[in-house]
Amino acid sequence: MIILGIETSCDETALSIIDVTENEQGTQIKILANAVLSQIAIHTQYGGVFPMVAKREHGKNLTPLLKKVLEESGFSDSGETNSKLDSLATVLDREPELLKQLLDFLPTAKKPAIDLIAVTYGPGLEPALWVGVNFAKALSVAWDIPVVATNHMEGHILISLQQRNQDVQANSYQLKALSLPALALLISGGHTELVLVRDWLNYEIVGRTRDDAIGEAFDKVARILGLPYPGGPQISALAEKARSQQLTADSFSLPRPMLKSDNLDFSFSGLKTAVLYLTQKLPQPLSEDNKMAIAREFEDAATEVVIEKVRKAIDLYGIETLILGGGVVANKNIRSSFQKLTIEKNVTLHLPEISHSTDNALMIAIAGYFNRTKSVTETTGLLDIKANGNLSFPSTPTV
């Protein structure tokens, strides 16, 4: 099955084309094309992602990115030029830039041999999500290809199960069967959730943040320290530098919120506020050594909390497999801490490759494959798919 994945939930415009097959070794995934266009440089001036700017940039970027992945996958010269264009104005009535570009491109394009289009419909920034959803609808109408609406968070889980095939070409992976029960920790700028997986594709939230997500806390602490957006990597770089210089916060410590609570929930707002109060007590402007020490202590505190919650969940549910997903999984200290924990607890660990940890369309294409029976066409509910910025997880795509 050939699948086109579309991801526009935040500030990355991403498209991917994969070829999925099943054999005795499991689910085999060949990446035919994978492209991500980041908007970080644009949003830096705002100190964070500005939703309407993200929407505008997605509208500009999707069609050129589609041309790129079709060429990369070898589909730009296949098929017939038989696009249906008469309904596009209705589908894209709120996306004039996208409509203009597609009306220029589609009459000259060959219909690719794609079996399914998978698109993120939530959670995320709703204006940004709508651009991707409408783009998927337009391609579905033009090329008569079914669409499946996918949950962004499920994508983060499934891509973490990919294992690179070392004995074949570099873009070949497989998803092996899980040892259950499994636990997924989803940590990103908008999410901190513990997900219990008792059966394949059957999810239950057993812990979540009560306020800030861990990635959001990283970004807020970075702003307190005067570091540029995106703040998470800046904090991690300073913390790593502090460790290399054996620099510690001897004169202060930060709290570990909810570390000893009798549940699996998280809270990071108080930790962020503690950093603010701490910096106000220190000589201004903050020295580089103080910034490094604070970054290390903050990262250590956040890491200790998530490690302890996962440790508790492993014992509580008899977990055999731990899955980490989301952009914060790229953090070197968090990755290494979980590697140590899973060795200690004799649990199998699934980590995404660093390049696959942040938002991407490859994970949406994979999630689309496993939800393919929920796909719709123009006559079975396609035009009723709606973006949902506050989409819960787990969820079932509804139209």
Side-chain angles (χ1 to χ4, degrees):
M1 175 173 270
I2 308 295
I3 303 171
L4 168 66
I6 302 170
E7 158 63 24
T8 63
S9 67
C10 193
D11 61 337
E12 280 93 10
T13 311
L15 296 179
S16 183
I17 300 177
I18 63 173
D19 184 356
V20 188
T21 58
E22 301 280 355
N23 61 26
E24 60 276 8
Q25 280 78 45
T27 304
Q28 305 296 319
I29 299 170
K30 183 178 180 183
I31 303 174
L32 304 180
N34 190 43
V36 180
L37 190 57
S38 174
Q39 301 176 16
I40 284 177
I42 295 170
H43 294 284
T44 296
Q45 61 185 306
Y46 302 108
V49 180
F50 196 75
M52 295 310 294
V53 173
K55 171 185 169 65
R56 180 195 69 199
E57 294 302 309
H58 289 314
K60 287 184 189 177
N61 296 335
L62 278 168
T63 303
L65 215 56
L66 177 63
K67 296 177 186 178
K68 175 181 172 64
V69 296
L70 289 176
E71 290 171 1
E72 186 178 332
S73 61
F75 287 134
S76 58
D77 295 323
S78 64
E80 300 292 332
T81 308
N82 60 349
S83 300
K84 296 188 299 180
L85 306 179
D86 53 331
S87 301
L88 290 195
T90 301
V91 176
L92 297 174
D93 62 331
R94 295 187 178 183
E95 313 293 345
E97 176 70 22
L98 202 49
L99 175 62
K100 180 179 182 301
Q101 290 193 17
L102 282 178
L103 287 177
D104 287 341
F105 169 65
L106 288 174
T108 65
K110 305 288 187 181
K111 178 182 175 180
I114 290 172
D115 302 300
L116 182 69
I117 298 170
V119 62
T120 305
Y121 80 115
L125 302 176
E126 200 156 299
L129 288 165
W130 268 116
V131 185
V133 167
N134 287 332
F135 186 63
K137 291 178 182 180
L139 294 182
S140 176
V141 169
W143 285 335
D144 193 24
I145 299 172
V147 171
V148 60
T150 65
N151 190 302
H152 181 87
M153 304 313 296
E154 183 175 29
H156 276 303
I157 291 177
L158 293 175
I159 198 170
S160 298
L161 303 181
Q162 276 199 148
Q163 297 180 11
R164 185 181 290 270
N165 289 322
Q166 300 295 342
D167 56 341
V168 292
Q169 53 191 311
N171 287 333
S172 176
Y173 295 80
Q174 61 178 315
L175 271 69
K176 290 187 176 178
L178 281 177
S179 295
L180 299 171
L183 182 75
L185 174 67
L186 302 178
I187 44 178
S188 67
H191 294 268
T192 305
E193 295 169 336
L194 277 172
V195 184
L196 178 63
V197 187
R198 288 195 175 96
D199 300 301
W200 178 241
L201 302 181
N202 185 1
Y203 313 107
E204 177 189 351
I205 302 292
V206 295
R208 55 164 46 98
T209 183
R210 297 186 176 184
D211 39 60
D212 290 354
I214 186 172
E216 182 182 4
F218 267 87
D219 286 340
K220 288 180 177 178
V221 167
R223 284 200 291 270
I224 292 170
L225 297 183
L227 303 174
Y229 173 84
Q234 304 288 337
I235 291 291
S236 298
L238 279 181
E240 188 64 24
K241 189 175 180 181
R243 291 187 189 94
S244 68
Q245 297 180 11
Q246 298 184 328
L247 181 64
T248 59
D250 295 328
S251 60
F252 58 82
S253 63
L254 293 171
R256 273 63 172 164
M258 300 187 71
L259 184 69
K260 301 300 183 183
S261 67
D262 59 359
N263 56 51
L264 299 176
D265 286 347
F266 304 86
S267 172
F268 294 102
S269 180
L271 178 57
K272 170 256 305 179
T273 302
V275 172
L276 176 62
Y277 290 158
L278 171 61
T279 59
Q280 291 172 345
K281 295 176 182 177
L282 295 173
Q284 302 294 322
L286 289 174
S287 67
E288 190 67 14
D289 279 357
N290 275 338
K291 287 184 179 181
M292 286 192 292
I294 292 170
R296 178 178 180 178
E297 174 66 6
F298 167 76
E299 187 175 82
D300 285 346
T303 301
E304 187 176 339
V305 169
V306 293
I307 287 287
E308 185 58 31
K309 295 292 183 176
V310 169
R311 184 195 306 275
K312 185 180 295 185
I314 288 173
D315 293 339
L316 180 62
Y317 294 106
I319 296 302
E320 297 186 15
T321 305
L322 177 63
I323 304 162
L324 299 186
V328 180
V329 177
N331 180 284
K332 182 178 179 180
N333 186 59
I334 288 176
R335 289 175 79 93
S336 63
S337 296
F338 276 107
Q339 287 166 339
K340 293 174 184 175
L341 175 65
T342 50
I343 291 172
E344 170 199 329
K345 305 298 287 186
N346 194 27
V347 168
T348 301
L349 176 63
H350 287 282
L351 278 168
E353 294 182 1
I354 295 290
S355 61
H356 295 164
S357 60
T358 53
D359 294 349
N360 61 84
L362 174 58
M363 70 185 198
I364 302 307
I366 294 171
Y369 175 75
F370 287 106
N371 289 280
R372 60 193 182 277
T373 59
K374 302 170 185 173
S375 66
V376 293
T377 64
E378 189 175 4
T379 59
T380 61
L382 170 74
L383 301 182
D384 295 322
I385 295 176
K386 294 179 173 59
N388 184 350
N390 296 316
L391 182 68
S392 61
F393 181 73
S395 67
T396 300
T398 56
V399 296

mmCIF file of all heavy atoms in Angstrom, residues 294-324:
data_model
loop_
_atom_site.group_PDB
_atom_site.id
_atom_site.type_symbol
_atom_site.label_atom_id
_atom_site.label_comp_id
_atom_site.label_asym_id
_atom_site.label_seq_id
_atom_site.Cartn_x
_atom_site.Cartn_y
_atom_site.Cartn_z
ATOM 1 N N ILE A 294 21.510 26.673 36.212
ATOM 2 C CA ILE A 294 20.043 26.632 36.273
ATOM 3 C C ILE A 294 19.498 25.672 35.211
ATOM 4 O O ILE A 294 18.581 24.878 35.479
ATOM 5 C CB ILE A 294 19.455 28.044 36.078
ATOM 6 C CG1 ILE A 294 19.795 28.935 37.279
ATOM 7 C CG2 ILE A 294 17.930 27.979 35.894
ATOM 8 C CD1 ILE A 294 19.469 30.403 37.070
ATOM 9 N N ALA A 295 20.048 25.737 34.004
ATOM 10 C CA ALA A 295 19.590 24.851 32.937
ATOM 11 C C ALA A 295 19.795 23.392 33.330
ATOM 12 O O ALA A 295 18.901 22.551 33.129
ATOM 13 C CB ALA A 295 20.333 25.160 31.642
ATOM 14 N N ARG A 296 20.945 23.089 33.907
ATOM 15 C CA ARG A 296 21.206 21.705 34.307
ATOM 16 C C ARG A 296 20.260 21.275 35.423
ATOM 17 O O ARG A 296 19.697 20.170 35.373
ATOM 18 C CB ARG A 296 22.650 21.553 34.771
ATOM 19 C CG ARG A 296 22.941 20.129 35.245
ATOM 20 C CD ARG A 296 24.372 19.921 35.663
ATOM 21 N NE ARG A 296 24.555 18.542 36.101
ATOM 22 C CZ ARG A 296 25.720 18.028 36.492
ATOM 23 N NH1 ARG A 296 26.827 18.788 36.491
ATOM 24 N NH2 ARG A 296 25.799 16.775 36.881
ATOM 25 N N GLU A 297 20.072 22.117 36.435
ATOM 26 C CA GLU A 297 19.201 21.760 37.546
ATOM 27 C C GLU A 297 17.757 21.608 37.085
ATOM 28 O O GLU A 297 17.051 20.684 37.509
ATOM 29 C CB GLU A 297 19.304 22.826 38.647
ATOM 30 C CG GLU A 297 18.343 22.665 39.807
ATOM 31 C CD GLU A 297 18.577 21.421 40.663
ATOM 32 O OE1 GLU A 297 19.576 20.709 40.426
ATOM 33 O OE2 GLU A 297 17.750 21.161 41.555
ATOM 34 N N PHE A 298 17.312 22.481 36.185
ATOM 35 C CA PHE A 298 15.947 22.354 35.652
ATOM 36 C C PHE A 298 15.792 21.061 34.868
ATOM 37 O O PHE A 298 14.821 20.312 35.057
ATOM 38 C CB PHE A 298 15.606 23.542 34.750
ATOM 39 C CG PHE A 298 14.370 23.330 33.926
ATOM 40 C CD1 PHE A 298 13.110 23.432 34.490
ATOM 41 C CD2 PHE A 298 14.469 22.969 32.585
ATOM 42 C CE1 PHE A 298 11.967 23.194 33.744
ATOM 43 C CE2 PHE A 298 13.327 22.739 31.829
ATOM 44 C CZ PHE A 298 12.080 22.849 32.417
ATOM 45 N N GLU A 299 16.733 20.772 33.989
ATOM 46 C CA GLU A 299 16.647 19.557 33.186
ATOM 47 C C GLU A 299 16.715 18.316 34.066
ATOM 48 O O GLU A 299 15.980 17.344 33.847
ATOM 49 C CB GLU A 299 17.764 19.529 32.146
ATOM 50 C CG GLU A 299 17.640 18.377 31.155
ATOM 51 C CD GLU A 299 18.688 18.442 30.074
ATOM 52 O OE1 GLU A 299 19.832 17.984 30.330
ATOM 53 O OE2 GLU A 299 18.380 18.951 28.981
ATOM 54 N N ASP A 300 17.564 18.347 35.087
ATOM 55 C CA ASP A 300 17.649 17.218 36.015
ATOM 56 C C ASP A 300 16.333 17.016 36.754
ATOM 57 O O ASP A 300 15.878 15.879 36.945
ATOM 58 C CB ASP A 300 18.775 17.437 37.024
ATOM 59 C CG ASP A 300 20.163 17.232 36.430
ATOM 60 O OD1 ASP A 300 20.262 16.675 35.321
ATOM 61 O OD2 ASP A 300 21.147 17.627 37.092
ATOM 62 N N ALA A 301 15.708 18.117 37.174
ATOM 63 C CA ALA A 301 14.444 18.034 37.911
ATOM 64 C C ALA A 301 13.345 17.448 37.026
ATOM 65 O O ALA A 301 12.612 16.541 37.440
ATOM 66 C CB ALA A 301 14.040 19.412 38.423
ATOM 67 N N ALA A 302 13.221 17.968 35.818
ATOM 68 C CA ALA A 302 12.182 17.487 34.901
ATOM 69 C C ALA A 302 12.406 16.014 34.548
ATOM 70 O O ALA A 302 11.463 15.219 34.508
ATOM 71 C CB ALA A 302 12.168 18.338 33.632
ATOM 72 N N THR A 303 13.658 15.654 34.312
ATOM 73 C CA THR A 303 13.979 14.266 33.965
ATOM 74 C C THR A 303 13.669 13.334 35.127
ATOM 75 O O THR A 303 13.093 12.247 34.940
ATOM 76 C CB THR A 303 15.468 14.140 33.578
ATOM 77 O OG1 THR A 303 15.738 15.001 32.471
ATOM 78 C CG2 THR A 303 15.815 12.705 33.202
ATOM 79 N N GLU A 304 14.035 13.744 36.338
ATOM 80 C CA GLU A 304 13.785 12.903 37.510
ATOM 81 C C GLU A 304 12.297 12.632 37.690
ATOM 82 O O GLU A 304 11.891 11.517 38.037
ATOM 83 C CB GLU A 304 14.353 13.581 38.763
ATOM 84 C CG GLU A 304 14.305 12.721 40.003
ATOM 85 C CD GLU A 304 14.956 13.382 41.207
ATOM 86 O OE1 GLU A 304 15.778 14.304 41.007
ATOM 87 O OE2 GLU A 304 14.637 12.977 42.344
ATOM 88 N N VAL A 305 11.472 13.652 37.439
ATOM 89 C CA VAL A 305 10.028 13.485 37.595
ATOM 90 C C VAL A 305 9.481 12.466 36.595
ATOM 91 O O VAL A 305 8.743 11.544 36.968
ATOM 92 C CB VAL A 305 9.299 14.834 37.438
ATOM 93 C CG1 VAL A 305 7.790 14.620 37.326
ATOM 94 C CG2 VAL A 305 9.601 15.742 38.622
ATOM 95 N N VAL A 306 9.817 12.619 35.311
ATOM 96 C CA VAL A 306 9.260 11.694 34.316
ATOM 97 C C VAL A 306 9.800 10.278 34.508
ATOM 98 O O VAL A 306 9.077 9.295 34.302
ATOM 99 C CB VAL A 306 9.490 12.189 32.860
ATOM 100 C CG1 VAL A 306 8.695 13.458 32.591
ATOM 101 C CG2 VAL A 306 10.959 12.394 32.551
ATOM 102 N N ILE A 307 11.061 10.159 34.923
ATOM 103 C CA ILE A 307 11.630 8.834 35.191
ATOM 104 C C ILE A 307 10.876 8.156 36.331
ATOM 105 O O ILE A 307 10.502 6.970 36.250
ATOM 106 C CB ILE A 307 13.129 8.941 35.527
ATOM 107 C CG1 ILE A 307 13.932 9.252 34.269
ATOM 108 C CG2 ILE A 307 13.626 7.656 36.197
ATOM 109 C CD1 ILE A 307 14.075 8.099 33.305
ATOM 110 N N GLU A 308 10.625 8.884 37.415
ATOM 111 C CA GLU A 308 9.955 8.297 38.572
ATOM 112 C C GLU A 308 8.524 7.893 38.253
ATOM 113 O O GLU A 308 8.043 6.842 38.695
ATOM 114 C CB GLU A 308 9.979 9.272 39.744
ATOM 115 C CG GLU A 308 9.409 8.716 41.037
ATOM 116 C CD GLU A 308 10.111 7.450 41.515
ATOM 117 O OE1 GLU A 308 11.325 7.296 41.258
ATOM 118 O OE2 GLU A 308 9.440 6.597 42.135
ATOM 119 N N LYS A 309 7.817 8.709 37.473
ATOM 120 C CA LYS A 309 6.442 8.360 37.100
ATOM 121 C C LYS A 309 6.405 7.108 36.231
ATOM 122 O O LYS A 309 5.541 6.233 36.400
ATOM 123 C CB LYS A 309 5.786 9.536 36.372
ATOM 124 C CG LYS A 309 5.587 10.782 37.226
ATOM 125 C CD LYS A 309 4.555 10.552 38.322
ATOM 126 C CE LYS A 309 4.326 11.842 39.110
ATOM 127 N NZ LYS A 309 3.260 11.698 40.116
ATOM 128 N N VAL A 310 7.329 7.017 35.301
ATOM 129 C CA VAL A 310 7.377 5.828 34.441
ATOM 130 C C VAL A 310 7.778 4.605 35.249
ATOM 131 O O VAL A 310 7.222 3.511 35.066
ATOM 132 C CB VAL A 310 8.341 6.058 33.258
ATOM 133 C CG1 VAL A 310 8.603 4.754 32.506
ATOM 134 C CG2 VAL A 310 7.762 7.105 32.302
ATOM 135 N N ARG A 311 8.723 4.763 36.168
ATOM 136 C CA ARG A 311 9.123 3.648 37.030
ATOM 137 C C ARG A 311 7.912 3.105 37.798
ATOM 138 O O ARG A 311 7.695 1.899 37.901
ATOM 139 C CB ARG A 311 10.197 4.108 38.003
ATOM 140 C CG ARG A 311 10.758 2.980 38.894
ATOM 141 C CD ARG A 311 11.531 3.554 40.074
ATOM 142 N NE ARG A 311 12.567 4.470 39.646
ATOM 143 C CZ ARG A 311 13.788 4.104 39.267
ATOM 144 N NH1 ARG A 311 14.107 2.821 39.265
ATOM 145 N NH2 ARG A 311 14.673 5.016 38.898
ATOM 146 N N LYS A 312 7.112 4.032 38.335
ATOM 147 C CA LYS A 312 5.923 3.652 39.102
ATOM 148 C C LYS A 312 4.914 2.927 38.200
ATOM 149 O O LYS A 312 4.322 1.913 38.595
ATOM 150 C CB LYS A 312 5.285 4.897 39.715
ATOM 151 C CG LYS A 312 4.106 4.620 40.640
ATOM 152 C CD LYS A 312 3.539 5.919 41.213
ATOM 153 C CE LYS A 312 4.541 6.619 42.107
ATOM 154 N NZ LYS A 312 3.938 7.826 42.753
ATOM 155 N N ALA A 313 4.724 3.426 36.984
ATOM 156 C CA ALA A 313 3.777 2.805 36.057
ATOM 157 C C ALA A 313 4.243 1.415 35.625
ATOM 158 O O ALA A 313 3.431 0.495 35.461
ATOM 159 C CB ALA A 313 3.582 3.708 34.838
ATOM 160 N N ILE A 314 5.545 1.248 35.423
ATOM 161 C CA ILE A 314 6.086 -0.065 35.051
ATOM 162 C C ILE A 314 5.743 -1.099 36.113
ATOM 163 O O ILE A 314 5.298 -2.215 35.807
ATOM 164 C CB ILE A 314 7.614 0.031 34.830
ATOM 165 C CG1 ILE A 314 7.925 0.790 33.534
ATOM 166 C CG2 ILE A 314 8.235 -1.374 34.785
ATOM 167 C CD1 ILE A 314 9.403 1.071 33.329
ATOM 168 N N ASP A 315 5.925 -0.711 37.368
ATOM 169 C CA ASP A 315 5.629 -1.640 38.464
ATOM 170 C C ASP A 315 4.127 -1.876 38.620
ATOM 171 O O ASP A 315 3.682 -3.007 38.857
ATOM 172 C CB ASP A 315 6.204 -1.087 39.777
ATOM 173 C CG ASP A 315 7.728 -1.064 39.790
ATOM 174 O OD1 ASP A 315 8.341 -1.816 39.006
ATOM 175 O OD2 ASP A 315 8.306 -0.280 40.578
ATOM 176 N N LEU A 316 3.360 -0.809 38.463
ATOM 177 C CA LEU A 316 1.916 -0.904 38.682
ATOM 178 C C LEU A 316 1.231 -1.792 37.653
ATOM 179 O O LEU A 316 0.334 -2.584 37.981
ATOM 180 C CB LEU A 316 1.299 0.506 38.661
ATOM 181 C CG LEU A 316 -0.211 0.617 38.880
ATOM 182 C CD1 LEU A 316 -0.588 0.095 40.265
ATOM 183 C CD2 LEU A 316 -0.657 2.073 38.711
ATOM 184 N N TYR A 317 1.635 -1.689 36.387
ATOM 185 C CA TYR A 317 0.944 -2.397 35.309
ATOM 186 C C TYR A 317 1.725 -3.592 34.755
ATOM 187 O O TYR A 317 1.285 -4.219 33.791
ATOM 188 C CB TYR A 317 0.625 -1.423 34.177
ATOM 189 C CG TYR A 317 -0.369 -0.353 34.566
ATOM 190 C CD1 TYR A 317 0.041 0.960 34.785
ATOM 191 C CD2 TYR A 317 -1.713 -0.667 34.724
ATOM 192 C CE1 TYR A 317 -0.877 1.946 35.150
ATOM 193 C CE2 TYR A 317 -2.639 0.308 35.088
ATOM 194 C CZ TYR A 317 -2.209 1.610 35.301
ATOM 195 O OH TYR A 317 -3.127 2.581 35.666
ATOM 196 N N GLY A 318 2.853 -3.905 35.336
ATOM 197 C CA GLY A 318 3.637 -5.036 34.832
ATOM 198 C C GLY A 318 4.098 -4.825 33.404
ATOM 199 O O GLY A 318 4.032 -5.734 32.566
ATOM 200 N N ILE A 319 4.594 -3.643 33.113
ATOM 201 C CA ILE A 319 4.945 -3.250 31.746
ATOM 202 C C ILE A 319 6.130 -4.062 31.223
ATOM 203 O O ILE A 319 7.121 -4.271 31.924
ATOM 204 C CB ILE A 319 5.274 -1.734 31.707
ATOM 205 C CG1 ILE A 319 4.041 -0.899 32.065
ATOM 206 C CG2 ILE A 319 5.834 -1.345 30.347
ATOM 207 C CD1 ILE A 319 2.846 -1.121 31.178
ATOM 208 N N GLU A 320 6.002 -4.504 29.962
ATOM 209 C CA GLU A 320 7.079 -5.233 29.298
ATOM 210 C C GLU A 320 7.797 -4.394 28.247
ATOM 211 O O GLU A 320 8.934 -4.700 27.882
ATOM 212 C CB GLU A 320 6.523 -6.505 28.655
ATOM 213 C CG GLU A 320 5.954 -7.496 29.663
ATOM 214 C CD GLU A 320 5.550 -8.817 29.026
ATOM 215 O OE1 GLU A 320 5.981 -9.052 27.871
ATOM 216 O OE2 GLU A 320 4.815 -9.587 29.657
ATOM 217 N N THR A 321 7.119 -3.356 27.732
ATOM 218 C CA THR A 321 7.687 -2.516 26.678
ATOM 219 C C THR A 321 7.426 -1.052 26.989
ATOM 220 O O THR A 321 6.302 -0.679 27.336
ATOM 221 C CB THR A 321 7.061 -2.843 25.302
ATOM 222 O OG1 THR A 321 7.198 -4.233 25.035
ATOM 223 C CG2 THR A 321 7.722 -2.045 24.195
ATOM 224 N N LEU A 322 8.457 -0.220 26.851
ATOM 225 C CA LEU A 322 8.305 1.220 27.029
ATOM 226 C C LEU A 322 8.545 1.909 25.695
ATOM 227 O O LEU A 322 9.532 1.639 25.005
ATOM 228 C CB LEU A 322 9.307 1.753 28.058
ATOM 229 C CG LEU A 322 9.300 3.274 28.276
ATOM 230 C CD1 LEU A 322 7.958 3.743 28.830
ATOM 231 C CD2 LEU A 322 10.443 3.700 29.201
ATOM 232 N N ILE A 323 7.604 2.797 25.327
ATOM 233 C CA ILE A 323 7.682 3.554 24.076
ATOM 234 C C ILE A 323 7.805 5.035 24.421
ATOM 235 O O ILE A 323 7.014 5.558 25.207
ATOM 236 C CB ILE A 323 6.409 3.347 23.233
ATOM 237 C CG1 ILE A 323 6.167 1.856 22.969
ATOM 238 C CG2 ILE A 323 6.487 4.130 21.925
ATOM 239 C CD1 ILE A 323 4.743 1.545 22.542
ATOM 240 N N LEU A 324 8.787 5.709 23.862
ATOM 241 C CA LEU A 324 8.919 7.146 24.037
ATOM 242 C C LEU A 324 8.608 7.840 22.725
ATOM 243 O O LEU A 324 9.099 7.427 21.666
ATOM 244 C CB LEU A 324 10.338 7.524 24.484
ATOM 245 C CG LEU A 324 10.839 6.961 25.812
ATOM 246 C CD1 LEU A 324 12.197 7.568 26.149
ATOM 247 C CD2 LEU A 324 9.846 7.226 26.934
#
